[in-house]
Amino acid sequence: EAQVTQNPRYLITVTGKKLTVTCSQNMNHEYMSWYRQDPGLGLRQIYYSMNVEVTDKGDVPEGYKVSRKEKRNFPLILESPSPNQTSLYFCASSLKQGLGEQYFGPGTRLTVT
Amino acid sequence: TQLLEQSPQFLSIQEGENLTVYCNSSSVFSSLQWYRQEPGEGPVLLVTVVTGGEVKKLKRLTFQFGDARKDSSLHITAAQTGDTGLYLCGRYSWGKLQFGAGTQVVVTP
């Protein structure tokens, strides 16, 4: 089954404790991205990757890092999480940048206390 | 400031009623996508509209793209409880997909 998977689905952590949210897709998509979703603000893009070893900032990149060492994986790293990063996070992939349907993962709900 | 303005923010109707949600921008879209997001899940693409004046139908859902390609609407006929969800419009800008804040639709029995 074609899908985007994320782990964990739920995470509660404390300020400053590094964490990684994993994302994997099995559709051989070139383009992957991370979004955060907050009430009243919709989905905002954090980082995106056009292909292996190619990443770039989205609209709200501060406090986040990403890497794309393999085509299928695109982890999101919070080196020092803060309470304002409490949010619902989605990973998405599409065949190419700027084209077609984006396939979203099920989401990761992160709470930073 | 949202590049895409969606209205209304929230809509609650009873089964069998019709509803329309809107997506507007001050700039021209090359194309527009509509997604639906159900609770606990990621958004799922419903349709992409490309041509000004275009109308697309997906069962009871009708999508319209404005002639000037600055606005779009989604009309649901005879809503069902399964239509409950967050409806998002999105447009590609410089290769990035940007979304409006969404319209939360609740259909009650």
Side-chain angles (χ1 to χ4, degrees), chain A residues 9 35 37 40-43 45 48 59 90 97-98 100-102 104-106, chain B residues 2 33 35 37 40-43 45 86 88 92 95-101:
Chain A
R9 293 290 311 276
Y35 295 86
Q37 186 174 38
L41 296 176
L43 285 156
Q45 192 179 56
Y48 64 94
D59 297 317
F90 288 99
Q97 182 189 24
E101 177 177 2
Q102 291 229 2
F104 285 83
Chain B
Q2 292 282 350
Q33 297 185 329
Y35 287 77
Q37 183 179 8
E41 298 182 10
L45 180 69
L86 179 68
L88 296 157
Y92 278 102
K96 297 187 291 185
L97 186 57
Q98 296 179 317
F99 290 92

Side-chain angles (χ1 to χ4, degrees), chain A residues 55-68:
Chain A
T55 64
D56 208 346
K57 297 177 181 178
D59 297 317
V60 288
E62 293 77 22
Y64 304 95
K65 283 176 59 176
V66 292
S67 68
R68 186 96 181 269

Side-chain angles (χ1 to χ4, degrees), chain B residues 19-88:
Chain B
L19 68 100
T20 303
V21 299
Y22 300 93
C23 177
N24 295 284
S25 173
S26 57
S27 56
V28 174
F29 311 146
S30 57
S31 65
L32 189 87
Q33 297 185 329
W34 283 97
Y35 287 77
R36 178 169 65 209
Q37 183 179 8
E38 297 183 17
E41 298 182 10
V44 175
L45 180 69
L46 295 172
V47 78
T48 301
V49 286
V50 178
T51 307
E54 182 176 5
V55 176
K56 280 191 173 179
K57 292 195 174 186
L58 187 67
K59 296 183 182 176
R60 293 174 295 99
L61 280 59
T62 302
F63 303 85
Q64 188 154 7
F65 201 15
D67 290 339
R69 293 188 290 131
K70 289 186 177 182
D71 59 273
S72 181
S73 63
L74 157 59
H75 181 80
I76 301 179
T77 303
Q80 299 176 357
T81 55
D83 295 324
T84 291
L86 179 68
Y87 289 82
L88 296 157

